[in-house]
Amino acid sequence: AIEVRSNPAMSSEAASLLSRARDWASWDPNPTTRASVLSLVAAADLDALRPLFSPPGARLSFGTAGLRAPLRPGPRGMNDLTVVQTSQGLAAHLRATYPGCRLRAAVGRDHRARAKWGLSSARFGRLTAEVFRRSGIFEDVVLLDGTVPTPLVPFAVGRLSETENDLLPTTANGGAGPVRTVGVMITASHNPAEDDGYKLYWTNGCQIVPPVDAQVAAAILQNLTPWRDDYGTDADAPDERDVRLTGRLADLYFRAMAPLRTGSYARHYGSYVPNGPTPPPPVFVYTAMHGVGAPWTARSFRAFGLPPFAEVPSQCAPDPAFPTVPFPNPEERGALDRAIARAREVLGNGASRSQTHAVILANDPDADRLAVAEYSAAEDQTTAFTGDQIGVLLGHWLWTTQKKNNLPDPRPWWSPWSPPACCPPSARPRASPSTRPPRASNTSAPAAWSCERREAACCFPRRRPWGTAAETSCRTRTACPPPPSWPNWPRTSTRREGPSGPDCGPCTTPTERSCPATGITSVIVLRRSGPFWHT
């Protein structure tokens, strides 16, 4: 106190800091963080307040990954007020972007929490749904019950976007306009335990890409003042309708996997070992990395008829403290140590005399990241596969299985069932006379850009049929001129095109460009989504 009085500059800085903290607390709907900040202000504890409220004007920025920051008070932390302001800005931006549309939202969350501040993903999820519902902007909002894996949120976006579905009844706000649905997932993914986050999935079911992130960020800054002064008063008990819809969406999610199951393990594996007995199924070891993935992975195993996996007991129950891993990313060095020890234990206990290898599977805490490794008991060594290698294995399995069983493509042409190969040229799948991919999208783009091909933006390479002229049939609805060079064209672009119109225009003759290095022919499509054209 003596130092503050003897230093006018410091006194001015202190007064400004105390004022910013006091103003922030007056908007904060969380009683715990509000009381904590006001207590620090009353005690003039500048050392404790500076990390939370300095420098002046600094706040958590919204980007393509949404928000991610430590759970703490202040404009640079993940807290109730940050979530309210972000949700208000998002709602306002959607209202301005899609006038006349019927807006819907799906909100999910993980298990993160920090008791010291009374902050948690559960509370953030309820606040997000509350802001949306009380804004009068959304026709319907579904708050997914309990903890869910991140992939369920974009899946829900797709199902809720259907104009006619049996999930949502017709509401008083419903009209004749097109439906636009967004998804919010409250999670910090594989960040450390003290963090939380806010992921946004756009109307195409993909994480946002520029310029949407900047547009949402600007809308947040224009809507910082809470629209209501009683946020956070909704009951904590789950809504029965949300519980029912969550169960329905989960059932639909696993039902959508059915076309990928091509038969029993014995029939599939037997085709690779035609002259001998079918070996037993491999031993699987799974860790959820203290996250939410264990029950969902177990259900996936049952859906595909695989034998139950051996859990890593210390890591399969959700635990926001992440006690066994300082950084819960399955790709980090040392993150799989307990899973490797569990594989060694399972094989050492004589799971089967003929089994000498175990497949290790690991999710990150929100179960949207997968790590795969193989443990060899004979050599007592573990081989961890890179993301490129996993993609090649999955792509090879899809192509060979489809060819072997003469399977038609079970999903629409825009489906994620036909994945892009986001890997370096040396690791990309290649077509051959015996295994030709039905569609292969070779791109080094990040995942968010790759997902954009689903609705907005899509570069669909078309393989030149073996020994024939270039394929000329058009799977797309509309086509536009080829890019200036292949394959380094801009991934997407948008321009305003007047009022909303139909989703697609009439078909036109496709324009194709062949890559001499790979024999792949590309088609760029122009597709309308609401008031925007996407190339």
Side-chain angles (χ1 to χ4, degrees), residues 179-466:
V179 174
R180 296 290 181 265
T181 307
V182 297
V184 173
M185 179 67 185
I186 305 297
T187 179
S189 191
H190 49 275
N191 273 36
E194 60 269 18
D195 288 1
D196 210 339
Y198 189 109
K199 285 184 180 180
L200 174 58
Y201 290 86
W202 205 235
T203 56
N204 58 359
C206 304
Q207 282 190 265
I208 59 173
V209 296
V212 176
D213 58 331
Q215 294 166 349
V216 174
I220 293 171
L221 295 178
Q222 296 169 3
N223 293 273
L224 295 179
T225 304
W227 293 344
R228 294 176 176 269
D229 57 6
D230 59 347
Y231 283 132
T233 58
D234 278 5
D236 292 344
D239 181 88
E240 290 185 4
R241 190 204 69 145
D242 288 339
V243 174
R244 176 179 56 82
L245 287 176
T246 303
R248 291 283 308 281
L249 285 166
D251 292 341
L252 292 170
Y253 181 85
F254 285 98
R255 190 180 304 169
M257 294 183 183
L260 294 179
R261 179 174 178 177
T262 57
S264 67
Y265 166 83
R267 184 169 65 120
H268 178 78
Y269 203 96
S271 65
Y272 292 98
V273 193
N275 299 321
T278 300
V283 172
F284 289 98
V285 174
Y286 173 77
T287 173
M289 210 66 65
H290 300 294
V292 304
W296 300 83
T297 303
R299 186 169 177 180
S300 296
F301 267 58
R302 293 193 298 270
F304 281 89
L306 295 172
F309 54 75
E311 291 186 346
V312 179
S314 61
Q315 293 182 331
C316 271
D319 188 339
F322 303 103
T324 67
V325 281
F327 200 73
N329 182 351
E331 297 173 342
E332 288 291 314
R333 182 181 299 275
L336 296 181
D337 287 352
R338 294 192 176 224
I340 295 170
R342 178 66 170 147
R344 186 180 294 113
E345 175 188 354
V346 171
L347 294 177
N349 288 340
S352 172
R353 293 183 181 276
S354 59
Q355 291 170 328
T356 59
H357 294 74
V359 178
I360 297 172
L361 303 176
N363 282 136
D364 67 340
D366 65 324
D368 68 347
R369 177 171 293 206
L370 175 69
V372 181
E374 181 188 47
Y375 172 73
S376 169
E379 301 172 356
D380 194 26
Q381 289 186 347
T382 302
T383 301
F385 298 102
T386 66
D388 296 340
Q389 293 167 335
I390 296 170
V392 170
L393 289 172
L394 292 175
H396 178 268
W397 178 83
L398 284 171
W399 297 334
T400 56
T401 302
Q402 189 178 27
K403 176 179 173 59
K404 179 184 63 177
N405 296 318
N406 195 28
L407 296 175
D409 188 340
R411 306 295 298 277
W413 64 269
W414 46 259
S415 167
W417 188 84
S418 175
C422 300
C423 51
S426 60
R428 291 175 185 167
R430 287 284 184 257
S432 71
S434 60
T435 59
R436 303 177 193 168
R439 294 188 302 280
S441 177
N442 287 312
T443 172
S444 58
W449 286 108
S450 302
C451 286
E452 278 294 293
R453 67 180 178 73
R454 173 169 176 170
E455 171 180 329
C458 311
C459 316
F460 288 106
R462 307 299 306 282
R463 182 183 53 78
R464 184 185 297 273
W466 203 267

Side-chain angles (χ1 to χ4, degrees), residues 130-170:
E130 182 183 357
V131 171
F132 288 169
R133 286 167 174 166
R134 300 176 69 179
S135 68
I137 296 173
F138 289 84
E139 173 187 272
D140 213 319
V141 178
V142 176
L143 175 59
L144 299 175
D145 180 53
T147 58
V148 298
T150 289
L152 188 64
V153 173
F155 179 81
V157 168
R159 293 310 305 258
L160 298 178
S161 295
E162 298 171 359
T163 305
E164 300 294 335
N165 65 64
D166 57 355
L167 292 171
L168 298 178
T170 303

